[in-house]
Amino acid sequence: MAIKLSEAAEKRVEELKAKYPDSRSAVMPALYIAQEELGYVNGDAINWVAEKIGMAPVHVMEVATFYTMYYKKPVGKYHFQVCRTLSCALRGAREITEHLHKRFNLLPGEVSADGKWSYEEVECLGSCGTAPMCEVNDIFFENLTPEKLEAIIERIDKENPDLRFSSVKDKLGEGLKGQTKSEII
Ligand code: FES
């Protein structure tokens, strides 16, 4: 039997299911909801989603492992995903990753002792025209330089914004209210 998530999560997934002729179509937002509750998509999350939407766990797992936006292991409160694919690679992605490495003294996939920071390299995030870029949780930061990245890190460190994608709250980047991406960059 799958674990039980919060009442808000259970309610949200029921609402999502009602929007589709086939409840299995809700697999992606349902995974988001589970990730938001649990911090990452583990076996419990897979089983919870599978049970809720009526899909075999192995098929939920296929979706979760295909997309880097679902974290398969614990990440920091602020998780940087640096695109390393061609456009970003040609325009300085390596410097971006190196800055994170030196700034946090971490290897990709490691989490800082205070649980605040982590990073990894990922493939194309579909923002090739604004390379190099990275995501912090689900917020895009584009046309980066190490200096711009450092300014973003300092601001996040100081303000501790809520940068979670929130399917439960129905808002992308709710925590950036009043502090839009362009202001940060
Ligand atoms: S190559 Fe980096 S976003 Fe596409």
Side-chain angles (χ1 to χ4, degrees):
M1 180 153 148
I3 51 158
K4 207 162 161 38
L5 298 188
S6 72
E7 224 170 85
E10 301 278 342
K11 183 168 175 276
R12 186 73 183 104
V13 83
E14 289 309 317
E15 285 168 3
L16 276 166
K17 277 162 60 178
K19 288 186 182 171
Y20 300 103
D22 184 334
S23 63
R24 291 175 299 176
S25 301
V27 62
M28 292 186 71
L31 278 166
Y32 259 129
I33 292 172
Q35 175 161 281
E36 179 156 308
E37 291 267 320
L38 301 169
Y40 67 110
V41 175
N42 59 9
D44 284 338
I46 297 289
N47 289 333
W48 181 80
V49 171
E51 188 178 292
K52 290 291 153 196
I53 65 171
M55 192 183 241
V58 67
H59 294 314
V60 178
M61 178 73 94
E62 283 169 354
V63 176
T65 52
F66 182 79
Y67 295 101
T68 51
M69 60 196 177
Y70 301 118
Y71 312 137
K72 268 64 80 180
K73 58 183 202 167
V75 296
K77 179 178 179 191
Y78 300 107
H79 182 59
F80 292 68
Q81 292 189 312
V82 182
C83 170
R84 65 177 175 196
T85 309
L86 192 59
S87 300
C88 290
L90 290 172
R91 289 182 51 84
R94 172 68 61 148
E95 285 77 30
I96 299 303
T97 308
E98 271 170 15
H99 186 85
L100 294 173
H101 172 60
K102 286 193 196 128
R103 178 63 156 79
F104 301 138
N105 195 23
L106 297 172
L107 292 171
E110 292 180 342
V111 181
S112 61
D114 61 2
K116 193 164 180 178
W117 310 106
S118 61
Y119 71 95
E120 67 179 318
E121 291 179 297
V122 297
E123 302 306 332
C124 182
L125 290 168
S127 189
C128 322
T130 55
M133 58 80 64
C134 79
E135 255 186 324
V136 185
N137 301 0
D138 292 291
I139 311 295
F140 274 22
F141 293 96
E142 300 156 307
N143 293 309
L144 289 173
T145 61
E147 294 72 31
K148 275 186 182 175
L149 178 64
E150 181 54 30
I152 291 162
I153 294 169
E154 280 173 19
R155 187 159 176 190
I156 290 173
D157 198 22
K158 198 165 132 225
E159 299 177 13
N160 289 303
D162 179 359
L163 296 187
R164 288 173 306 169
F165 174 90
S166 181
S167 338
V168 175
K169 288 185 286 191
D170 278 331
K171 293 269 187 189
L172 182 65
E174 176 80 6
L176 282 181
K177 247 186 197 166
Q179 39 179 321
T180 60
K181 184 173 67 171
S182 58
E183 283 174 49
I184 287 187
I185 292 178

Short mmCIF file of all heavy atoms in Angstrom, two decimals, residues 82-89 122-133 140, ligand 1:
data_model
loop_
_atom_site.label_atom_id
_atom_site.label_comp_id
_atom_site.label_asym_id
_atom_site.label_seq_id
_atom_site.Cartn_x
_atom_site.Cartn_y
_atom_site.Cartn_z
N VAL A 82 22.67 22.82 -14.24
CA VAL A 82 23.38 23.58 -15.27
C VAL A 82 23.30 22.80 -16.58
O VAL A 82 23.72 21.64 -16.64
CB VAL A 82 24.86 23.78 -14.89
CG1 VAL A 82 25.56 24.62 -15.95
CG2 VAL A 82 24.98 24.42 -13.52
N CYS A 83 22.78 23.45 -17.62
CA CYS A 83 22.73 22.79 -18.92
C CYS A 83 24.14 22.67 -19.47
O CYS A 83 24.90 23.64 -19.48
CB CYS A 83 21.86 23.58 -19.89
SG CYS A 83 22.02 22.94 -21.57
N ARG A 84 24.49 21.47 -19.95
CA ARG A 84 25.84 21.26 -20.50
C ARG A 84 25.78 20.92 -21.99
O ARG A 84 26.78 20.50 -22.57
CB ARG A 84 26.54 20.14 -19.74
CG ARG A 84 25.88 18.80 -19.93
CD ARG A 84 26.62 17.70 -19.24
NE ARG A 84 25.88 16.46 -19.35
CZ ARG A 84 26.10 15.39 -18.62
NH1 ARG A 84 27.04 15.42 -17.69
NH2 ARG A 84 25.38 14.29 -18.77
N THR A 85 24.60 21.04 -22.60
CA THR A 85 24.47 20.66 -24.01
C THR A 85 25.06 21.77 -24.91
O THR A 85 25.44 22.83 -24.42
CB THR A 85 23.00 20.33 -24.32
OG1 THR A 85 22.55 19.39 -23.33
CG2 THR A 85 22.81 19.67 -25.67
N LEU A 86 25.11 21.50 -26.22
CA LEU A 86 25.98 22.24 -27.14
C LEU A 86 25.96 23.77 -26.99
O LEU A 86 27.01 24.38 -26.78
CB LEU A 86 25.65 21.84 -28.58
CG LEU A 86 26.66 22.32 -29.61
CD1 LEU A 86 28.06 21.79 -29.31
CD2 LEU A 86 26.23 21.90 -31.00
N SER A 87 24.80 24.40 -27.11
CA SER A 87 24.79 25.88 -27.08
C SER A 87 25.37 26.39 -25.78
O SER A 87 26.16 27.34 -25.76
CB SER A 87 23.36 26.41 -27.25
OG SER A 87 22.83 25.98 -28.46
N CYS A 88 24.97 25.78 -24.68
CA CYS A 88 25.47 26.22 -23.38
C CYS A 88 26.95 25.90 -23.23
O CYS A 88 27.72 26.71 -22.71
CB CYS A 88 24.63 25.61 -22.26
SG CYS A 88 22.96 26.29 -22.17
N ALA A 89 27.34 24.72 -23.73
CA ALA A 89 28.76 24.32 -23.64
C ALA A 89 29.62 25.33 -24.39
O ALA A 89 30.67 25.75 -23.91
CB ALA A 89 28.94 22.92 -24.19
N VAL A 122 22.96 18.91 -16.43
CA VAL A 122 21.87 18.23 -17.11
C VAL A 122 21.94 18.52 -18.61
O VAL A 122 22.70 19.39 -19.03
CB VAL A 122 20.48 18.66 -16.56
CG1 VAL A 122 20.33 18.26 -15.10
CG2 VAL A 122 20.24 20.15 -16.75
N GLU A 123 21.13 17.82 -19.36
CA GLU A 123 21.09 18.07 -20.81
C GLU A 123 20.11 19.21 -21.10
O GLU A 123 19.43 19.71 -20.20
CB GLU A 123 20.70 16.79 -21.56
CG GLU A 123 21.62 15.60 -21.32
CD GLU A 123 23.10 15.90 -21.59
OE1 GLU A 123 23.40 16.78 -22.42
OE2 GLU A 123 23.95 15.26 -20.94
N CYS A 124 20.03 19.57 -22.37
CA CYS A 124 19.30 20.77 -22.84
C CYS A 124 17.98 21.00 -22.10
O CYS A 124 17.14 20.13 -22.00
CB CYS A 124 19.04 20.65 -24.33
SG CYS A 124 18.21 22.10 -25.00
N LEU A 125 17.84 22.23 -21.60
CA LEU A 125 16.61 22.60 -20.89
C LEU A 125 15.71 23.47 -21.78
O LEU A 125 14.77 24.09 -21.29
CB LEU A 125 16.97 23.33 -19.59
CG LEU A 125 17.61 22.43 -18.52
CD1 LEU A 125 18.20 23.27 -17.39
CD2 LEU A 125 16.61 21.43 -17.96
N GLY A 126 16.04 23.52 -23.07
CA GLY A 126 15.15 24.19 -24.02
C GLY A 126 15.27 25.70 -24.02
O GLY A 126 14.35 26.40 -24.45
N SER A 127 16.39 26.21 -23.55
CA SER A 127 16.57 27.66 -23.53
C SER A 127 17.88 28.01 -24.23
O SER A 127 18.64 28.86 -23.78
CB SER A 127 16.56 28.15 -22.07
OG SER A 127 16.52 29.56 -22.03
N CYS A 128 18.12 27.33 -25.34
CA CYS A 128 19.42 27.39 -26.03
C CYS A 128 19.74 28.81 -26.51
O CYS A 128 20.90 29.19 -26.59
CB CYS A 128 19.45 26.44 -27.22
SG CYS A 128 18.58 24.90 -26.93
N GLY A 129 18.73 29.61 -26.82
CA GLY A 129 18.95 30.96 -27.32
C GLY A 129 19.44 31.92 -26.24
O GLY A 129 19.83 33.05 -26.54
N THR A 130 19.40 31.49 -25.00
CA THR A 130 19.85 32.35 -23.90
C THR A 130 20.96 31.65 -23.12
O THR A 130 21.08 31.80 -21.92
CB THR A 130 18.69 32.70 -22.95
OG1 THR A 130 18.10 31.48 -22.49
CG2 THR A 130 17.64 33.56 -23.61
N ALA A 131 21.77 30.88 -23.86
CA ALA A 131 22.87 30.14 -23.24
C ALA A 131 23.99 31.08 -22.79
O ALA A 131 24.17 32.13 -23.42
CB ALA A 131 23.43 29.14 -24.26
N PRO A 132 24.73 30.72 -21.76
CA PRO A 132 24.52 29.54 -20.91
C PRO A 132 23.46 29.83 -19.85
O PRO A 132 23.26 30.96 -19.46
CB PRO A 132 25.88 29.32 -20.27
CG PRO A 132 26.48 30.68 -20.18
CD PRO A 132 25.95 31.46 -21.35
N MET A 133 22.81 28.78 -19.43
CA MET A 133 21.71 28.96 -18.48
C MET A 133 21.72 27.84 -17.44
O MET A 133 22.34 26.79 -17.63
CB MET A 133 20.37 29.02 -19.21
CG MET A 133 20.00 27.83 -20.05
SD MET A 133 19.35 26.43 -19.15
CE MET A 133 17.84 27.10 -18.49
N PHE A 140 14.29 29.47 -14.29
CA PHE A 140 15.38 29.61 -15.25
C PHE A 140 16.19 30.89 -14.97
O PHE A 140 15.60 31.95 -14.74
CB PHE A 140 14.82 29.73 -16.66
CG PHE A 140 14.56 28.42 -17.33
CD1 PHE A 140 14.38 27.25 -16.61
CD2 PHE A 140 14.47 28.35 -18.72
CE1 PHE A 140 14.13 26.04 -17.24
CE2 PHE A 140 14.21 27.14 -19.36
CZ PHE A 140 14.05 25.99 -18.63
S1 FES B 1 21.77 23.80 -25.02
FE1 FES B 1 21.49 24.68 -23.05
S2 FES B 1 19.37 25.09 -22.99
FE2 FES B 1 19.64 24.07 -24.86
#
